[in-house]
PDB file of all heavy atoms in Angstrom:
ATOM      1  N   ILE B  76     103.036 181.017  64.704  1.00  0.00           N
ATOM      2  CA  ILE B  76     102.953 179.943  65.682  1.00  0.00           C
ATOM      3  C   ILE B  76     102.126 180.459  66.851  1.00  0.00           C
ATOM      4  O   ILE B  76     102.509 181.420  67.524  1.00  0.00           O
ATOM      5  CB  ILE B  76     104.352 179.522  66.182  1.00  0.00           C
ATOM      6  CG1 ILE B  76     105.262 179.159  65.010  1.00  0.00           C
ATOM      7  CG2 ILE B  76     104.238 178.335  67.151  1.00  0.00           C
ATOM      8  CD1 ILE B  76     106.708 178.896  65.408  1.00  0.00           C
ATOM      9  N   ALA B  77     100.977 179.838  67.052  1.00  0.00           N
ATOM     10  CA  ALA B  77     100.109 180.253  68.153  1.00  0.00           C
ATOM     11  C   ALA B  77     100.582 179.611  69.456  1.00  0.00           C
ATOM     12  O   ALA B  77     101.151 178.509  69.452  1.00  0.00           O
ATOM     13  CB  ALA B  77      98.671 179.855  67.860  1.00  0.00           C
ATOM     14  N   ASP B  78     100.349 180.338  70.581  1.00  0.00           N
ATOM     15  CA  ASP B  78     100.678 179.790  71.895  1.00  0.00           C
ATOM     16  C   ASP B  78     102.098 179.212  71.899  1.00  0.00           C
ATOM     17  O   ASP B  78     102.327 178.028  72.159  1.00  0.00           O
ATOM     18  CB  ASP B  78      99.662 178.706  72.274  1.00  0.00           C
ATOM     19  CG  ASP B  78      99.835 178.198  73.696  1.00  0.00           C
ATOM     20  OD1 ASP B  78     100.389 178.943  74.522  1.00  0.00           O
ATOM     21  OD2 ASP B  78      99.433 177.044  73.955  1.00  0.00           O
ATOM     22  N   THR B  79     103.063 180.056  71.577  1.00  0.00           N
ATOM     23  CA  THR B  79     104.451 179.616  71.431  1.00  0.00           C
ATOM     24  C   THR B  79     104.977 179.011  72.730  1.00  0.00           C
ATOM     25  O   THR B  79     104.787 179.567  73.811  1.00  0.00           O
ATOM     26  CB  THR B  79     105.340 180.797  71.019  1.00  0.00           C
ATOM     27  OG1 THR B  79     104.726 181.496  69.931  1.00  0.00           O
ATOM     28  CG2 THR B  79     106.697 180.302  70.575  1.00  0.00           C
ATOM     29  N   GLN B  80     105.649 177.891  72.598  1.00  0.00           N
ATOM     30  CA  GLN B  80     106.203 177.171  73.734  1.00  0.00           C
ATOM     31  C   GLN B  80     107.727 177.191  73.675  1.00  0.00           C
ATOM     32  O   GLN B  80     108.322 177.418  72.623  1.00  0.00           O
ATOM     33  CB  GLN B  80     105.705 175.720  73.732  1.00  0.00           C
ATOM     34  CG  GLN B  80     104.188 175.588  73.740  1.00  0.00           C
ATOM     35  CD  GLN B  80     103.590 176.169  75.002  1.00  0.00           C
ATOM     36  OE1 GLN B  80     103.982 175.814  76.106  1.00  0.00           O
ATOM     37  NE2 GLN B  80     102.615 177.073  74.839  1.00  0.00           N
ATOM     38  N   THR B  81     108.347 176.875  74.810  1.00  0.00           N
ATOM     39  CA  THR B  81     109.819 176.864  74.826  1.00  0.00           C
ATOM     40  C   THR B  81     110.379 175.842  73.849  1.00  0.00           C
ATOM     41  O   THR B  81     111.463 176.017  73.298  1.00  0.00           O
ATOM     42  CB  THR B  81     110.340 176.578  76.239  1.00  0.00           C
ATOM     43  OG1 THR B  81     109.765 175.363  76.724  1.00  0.00           O
ATOM     44  CG2 THR B  81     109.988 177.708  77.190  1.00  0.00           C
ATOM     45  N   GLY B  82     109.627 174.776  73.603  1.00  0.00           N
ATOM     46  CA  GLY B  82     110.062 173.773  72.638  1.00  0.00           C
ATOM     47  C   GLY B  82     110.046 174.255  71.205  1.00  0.00           C
ATOM     48  O   GLY B  82     110.575 173.580  70.314  1.00  0.00           O
ATOM     49  N   ASP B  83     109.456 175.419  70.982  1.00  0.00           N
ATOM     50  CA  ASP B  83     109.459 175.997  69.630  1.00  0.00           C
ATOM     51  C   ASP B  83     110.745 176.760  69.351  1.00  0.00           C
ATOM     52  O   ASP B  83     110.976 177.184  68.209  1.00  0.00           O
ATOM     53  CB  ASP B  83     108.269 176.943  69.456  1.00  0.00           C
ATOM     54  CG  ASP B  83     106.924 176.221  69.544  1.00  0.00           C
ATOM     55  OD1 ASP B  83     106.846 175.068  69.070  1.00  0.00           O
ATOM     56  OD2 ASP B  83     105.968 176.803  70.098  1.00  0.00           O
ATOM     57  N   SER B  84     111.570 176.943  70.361  1.00  0.00           N
ATOM     58  CA  SER B  84     112.843 177.636  70.164  1.00  0.00           C
ATOM     59  C   SER B  84     113.704 176.840  69.190  1.00  0.00           C
ATOM     60  O   SER B  84     113.995 175.661  69.418  1.00  0.00           O
ATOM     61  CB  SER B  84     113.591 177.796  71.496  1.00  0.00           C
ATOM     62  OG  SER B  84     112.897 178.642  72.377  1.00  0.00           O
ATOM     63  N   ALA B  85     114.065 177.478  68.102  1.00  0.00           N
ATOM     64  CA  ALA B  85     114.798 176.791  67.028  1.00  0.00           C
ATOM     65  C   ALA B  85     115.109 177.826  65.945  1.00  0.00           C
ATOM     66  O   ALA B  85     114.767 179.004  66.079  1.00  0.00           O
ATOM     67  CB  ALA B  85     113.960 175.658  66.430  1.00  0.00           C
ATOM     68  N   ILE B  86     115.744 177.352  64.886  1.00  0.00           N
ATOM     69  CA  ILE B  86     115.930 178.188  63.697  1.00  0.00           C
ATOM     70  C   ILE B  86     114.892 177.756  62.672  1.00  0.00           C
ATOM     71  O   ILE B  86     114.730 176.553  62.414  1.00  0.00           O
ATOM     72  CB  ILE B  86     117.346 178.047  63.115  1.00  0.00           C
ATOM     73  CG1 ILE B  86     118.389 178.430  64.164  1.00  0.00           C
ATOM     74  CG2 ILE B  86     117.497 178.934  61.876  1.00  0.00           C
ATOM     75  CD1 ILE B  86     119.828 178.202  63.702  1.00  0.00           C
ATOM     76  N   TYR B  87     114.215 178.719  62.085  1.00  0.00           N
ATOM     77  CA  TYR B  87     113.182 178.435  61.098  1.00  0.00           C
ATOM     78  C   TYR B  87     113.633 178.942  59.723  1.00  0.00           C
ATOM     79  O   TYR B  87     113.997 180.105  59.574  1.00  0.00           O
ATOM     80  CB  TYR B  87     111.858 179.100  61.494  1.00  0.00           C
ATOM     81  CG  TYR B  87     111.251 178.449  62.717  1.00  0.00           C
ATOM     82  CD1 TYR B  87     111.697 178.784  63.996  1.00  0.00           C
ATOM     83  CD2 TYR B  87     110.253 177.481  62.595  1.00  0.00           C
ATOM     84  CE1 TYR B  87     111.169 178.172  65.120  1.00  0.00           C
ATOM     85  CE2 TYR B  87     109.721 176.868  63.721  1.00  0.00           C
ATOM     86  CZ  TYR B  87     110.186 177.216  64.975  1.00  0.00           C
ATOM     87  OH  TYR B  87     109.662 176.598  66.093  1.00  0.00           O
ATOM     88  N   PHE B  88     113.584 178.049  58.761  1.00  0.00           N
ATOM     89  CA  PHE B  88     113.995 178.377  57.397  1.00  0.00           C
ATOM     90  C   PHE B  88     112.775 178.356  56.480  1.00  0.00           C
ATOM     91  O   PHE B  88     111.976 177.424  56.522  1.00  0.00           O
ATOM     92  CB  PHE B  88     114.988 177.347  56.857  1.00  0.00           C
ATOM     93  CG  PHE B  88     116.337 177.363  57.520  1.00  0.00           C
ATOM     94  CD1 PHE B  88     116.577 176.600  58.655  1.00  0.00           C
ATOM     95  CD2 PHE B  88     117.373 178.117  56.998  1.00  0.00           C
ATOM     96  CE1 PHE B  88     117.816 176.602  59.272  1.00  0.00           C
ATOM     97  CE2 PHE B  88     118.621 178.130  57.599  1.00  0.00           C
ATOM     98  CZ  PHE B  88     118.849 177.376  58.736  1.00  0.00           C
ATOM     99  N   CYS B  89     112.660 179.368  55.655  1.00  0.00           N
ATOM    100  CA  CYS B  89     111.702 179.250  54.561  1.00  0.00           C
ATOM    101  C   CYS B  89     112.470 178.840  53.316  1.00  0.00           C
ATOM    102  O   CYS B  89     113.686 179.052  53.205  1.00  0.00           O
ATOM    103  CB  CYS B  89     110.906 180.536  54.341  1.00  0.00           C
ATOM    104  SG  CYS B  89     111.848 181.926  53.724  1.00  0.00           S
ATOM    105  N   ALA B  90     111.766 178.222  52.387  1.00  0.00           N
ATOM    106  CA  ALA B  90     112.392 177.754  51.151  1.00  0.00           C
ATOM    107  C   ALA B  90     111.352 177.775  50.050  1.00  0.00           C
ATOM    108  O   ALA B  90     110.158 177.673  50.300  1.00  0.00           O
ATOM    109  CB  ALA B  90     112.954 176.347  51.331  1.00  0.00           C
ATOM    110  N   GLU B  91     111.812 177.916  48.823  1.00  0.00           N
ATOM    111  CA  GLU B  91     110.901 177.925  47.693  1.00  0.00           C
ATOM    112  C   GLU B  91     111.412 176.994  46.604  1.00  0.00           C
ATOM    113  O   GLU B  91     112.609 176.722  46.507  1.00  0.00           O
ATOM    114  CB  GLU B  91     110.774 179.340  47.123  1.00  0.00           C
ATOM    115  CG  GLU B  91     112.086 179.961  46.687  1.00  0.00           C
ATOM    116  CD  GLU B  91     112.044 180.617  45.331  1.00  0.00           C
ATOM    117  OE1 GLU B  91     110.963 180.714  44.719  1.00  0.00           O
ATOM    118  OE2 GLU B  91     113.117 181.042  44.865  1.00  0.00           O
ATOM    119  N   SER B  92     110.470 176.517  45.819  1.00  0.00           N
ATOM    120  CA  SER B  92     110.832 175.766  44.627  1.00  0.00           C
ATOM    121  C   SER B  92     110.058 176.354  43.455  1.00  0.00           C
ATOM    122  O   SER B  92     108.965 176.896  43.633  1.00  0.00           O
ATOM    123  CB  SER B  92     110.524 174.280  44.776  1.00  0.00           C
ATOM    124  OG  SER B  92     109.128 174.062  44.906  1.00  0.00           O
TER     125      SER B  92
END
Side-chain angles (χ1 to χ4, degrees):
Chain B
I76 305 173
D78 187 24
T79 312
Q80 303 297 307
T81 55
D83 296 324
S84 294
I86 302 175
Y87 291 81
F88 291 88
C89 68
E91 57 133 6
S92 64

